[in-house]
Each structure stands twice: as C-alpha cells, then as structure tokens.
Amino acid sequence: MMVDLRRLLLVGLLLTATACAANSLLFHAGPRPPELTGVWIDVEKTTAADTSAWVLSADGSDLSAHFRAGKRSEKRYGSWYLAGSLGDTTGRALCFQRRPRDGATCRAFRLDTLSDAPQRRRLTVRGYPGTHHVSERILIEQP
C-alpha cells in the first residue's frame, strides 16, 4: 500500500514538472527568426520629442523601449515567438506570452521593406487591440 502511494505521488510530481517545463521560458513554443528580431519603432506612439519602440530580442524577450533626450528606458513585457513559418504569409502569426502560465496571444502580421533610403523593414501587426480600437500596428525597423 505504501509503495503504491509513493508511486502515485511520484507520477503526480513528474506530471506537474512536465507541465511546468512545457510552459517555461526555457522551452518556447516556436522559433524566433532573425528577420523579426530587433528594435521596431512604433509609428503610432512616436512623437518628435520621444521614440517608442518594441524590442524583440533573439533570446525571446519582448520589451518596450522609450528614447527621450538621448536616454533609453526599457520595460519587459514577456516573451515572443513565431507561430507557423515565416514563408507562410497567410498562416503565420507573431505570438506574445506575458507569463509562462498564461496562454500566448498571436496576431497575423505582414513583413515588407520600405523603398525609401535607407531601406528599412516594416512590420505590420494585424488586429492589434489598442486602448480605444483594434487596428493594424505599424512598426519600422530602427536604423
């Protein structure tokens, strides 16, 4: 009887550890391609006096950055990853996960290159929920 109880507890412990590890930042749900990593200037929130940007780090960190008068401040929001494949323009999504125990929020996106000089990439996140409306969020690669 005591051996069965120990086995049951051990199985429960292993299942719990496996579930936690699957949601850990060490085990992310998708790739983080270099085409999406970098500092992306948020066109809607940037003014002449300050720049607001998303930072998608190669290690999966999702940061918000503000540049004002030569100073940079950052705030970590969670992690990010790509769902699907970068080449699948209709099925791919950019996913953000605030905490490991929460599910990710995924948004379709478009990635293209602006034709003006110097050439920079543009990341358009579709269906982004803002304070008052849902719209496309346009981000321009920081030079």
Side-chain angles (χ1 to χ4, degrees):
M1 179 73 166
M2 186 62 141
V3 173
D4 289 337
L5 182 58
R6 285 184 186 167
R7 283 186 184 164
L8 185 60
L9 287 173
L10 182 60
V11 168
L13 181 61
L14 287 172
L15 288 173
T16 301
T18 302
C20 290
N23 283 330
S24 168
L25 289 175
L26 297 175
F27 300 96
H28 58 83
R32 297 175 177 120
E35 293 86 353
L36 296 175
T37 60
V39 179
W40 296 92
I41 298 169
D42 190 329
V43 173
E44 186 175 316
K45 292 187 175 186
T46 294
T47 67
D50 99 347
T51 300
S52 180
W54 292 13
V55 181
L56 302 179
S57 299
D59 70 357
S61 295
D62 169 28
L63 307 168
S64 171
H66 289 91
F67 305 91
R68 182 185 299 234
K71 295 182 182 180
R72 177 178 173 160
S73 64
E74 289 184 348
K75 179 180 177 185
R76 186 178 192 284
Y77 278 100
S79 62
W80 73 276
Y81 63 90
L82 173 69
S85 101
L86 196 56
D88 179 7
T89 58
T90 58
R92 67 186 181 194
L94 188 54
C95 299
F96 300 94
Q97 189 169 2
R98 190 161 179 109
R99 295 181 293 211
R101 69 176 179 255
D102 295 339
T105 300
C106 299
R107 303 277 178 232
F109 68 93
R110 183 176 65 242
L111 184 64
D112 59 359
T113 302
L114 298 172
S115 60
D116 57 347
Q119 285 194 344
R120 294 187 291 169
R121 296 175 297 160
R122 175 175 49 195
L123 176 63
T124 304
V125 180
R126 297 181 176 148
Y128 188 85
T131 306
H132 302 290
H133 60 280
V134 175
S135 64
E136 290 187 336
R137 182 57 64 83
I138 299 172
L139 308 163
I140 306 296
E141 178 181 30
Q142 183 183 37

